[in-house]
Amino acid sequence: MKLSETQIATELANTPGWRLEAGQLTRQFAFADFKQAMEFVNRVADLAEAMDHHPDILVSYNRVRLSLITHSAGGLTGKDFELARKINRVMEQG
Amino acid sequence: MKLSETQIATELANTPGWRLEAGQLTRQFAFADFKQAMEFVNRVADLAEAMDHHPDILVSYNRVRLSLITHSAGGLTGKDFELARKINRVMEQG
């Protein structure tokens, strides 16, 4: 289930805005204010519950940092990239 | 506005569960699952908006870590402890 480095490079190329940091798939998002940041966080939370796959979420006023890893696989899996791309679609829809 | 070390010690004694970490007032909370953690986060967010004072919020599945500081004062103020105690009351109410 755990992706190889080559597979990760391919997935990253198809997942704009996300990068590897300390073995996790991460992206930082910025919003107008805390309220809009929290609205985004709640949309991400709904996606996470639907997939039963939960990113670490850090909210600092108008900034939200998401980090993904599949703990049960000990690394990144297709599920991490699938959720990252779903989150990107939330951003694109505004 | 910034509290002295003596004032901080007094406030800490009146704010159960919170401690200083890297100059911030922090507490970690644990819940049954992600859904309950997010419900708590949303109640904290409402308190934060009402006070116009926003903690850093880290959600890791069922755990929530809150960190408070008054950036404009360059340290901890009465507002940080006031919000911390309001958040404690949310926990006590369940």
Side-chain angles (χ1 to χ4, degrees):
Chain A
M1 289 288 284
K2 183 178 163 180
L3 299 177
S4 68
E5 286 189 25
T6 309
Q7 288 171 316
I8 288 172
T10 305
E11 290 277 17
L12 274 175
N14 292 319
T15 315
W18 294 75
R19 60 195 182 86
L20 292 189
E21 203 176 294
Q24 304 212 348
L25 183 63
T26 69
R27 185 173 175 184
Q28 183 155 302
F29 302 85
F31 301 88
D33 55 25
F34 178 75
K35 193 174 156 68
Q36 289 194 20
M38 282 302 305
E39 285 170 9
F40 172 70
V41 164
N42 278 295
R43 293 181 71 180
V44 169
D46 288 344
L47 289 175
E49 278 292 277
M51 282 186 68
D52 193 22
H53 194 54
H54 303 83
D56 282 358
I57 304 169
L58 175 62
V59 186
S60 302
Y61 190 59
N62 69 323
R63 283 169 292 129
V64 178
R65 190 174 184 286
L66 301 179
S67 304
L68 279 160
I69 193 168
T70 306
H71 294 288
S72 59
L76 296 179
T77 65
K79 208 169 181 180
D80 297 306
F81 287 96
E82 183 187 342
L83 180 51
R85 286 191 287 263
K86 283 184 180 176
I87 292 166
N88 279 359
R89 284 197 287 277
V90 166
M91 285 303 290
E92 287 157 16
Q93 291 159 7
Chain B
M1 289 287 285
K2 183 177 161 180
L3 299 177
S4 70
E5 286 190 24
T6 309
Q7 289 171 314
I8 287 172
T10 305
E11 291 276 17
L12 273 175
N14 293 318
T15 315
W18 294 75
R19 61 198 181 84
L20 292 189
E21 203 176 293
Q24 305 211 347
L25 183 62
T26 68
R27 184 172 176 187
Q28 182 156 300
F29 303 84
F31 300 88
D33 54 26
F34 178 74
K35 192 174 157 68
Q36 289 193 20
M38 282 303 305
E39 285 170 9
F40 171 70
V41 164
N42 279 294
R43 293 181 70 180
V44 170
D46 288 344
L47 290 175
E49 278 291 277
M51 283 186 67
D52 193 21
H53 194 55
H54 303 83
D56 282 358
I57 304 169
L58 175 63
V59 186
S60 301
Y61 189 59
N62 67 323
R63 284 170 291 130
V64 178
R65 191 173 183 285
L66 302 178
S67 304
L68 279 158
I69 192 166
T70 305
H71 293 288
S72 58
L76 297 179
T77 66
K79 209 169 181 180
D80 296 307
F81 287 96
E82 183 188 342
L83 180 52
R85 286 191 287 262
K86 283 185 180 176
I87 291 166
N88 279 358
R89 284 197 287 275
V90 166
M91 284 303 292
E92 287 158 15
Q93 290 158 7

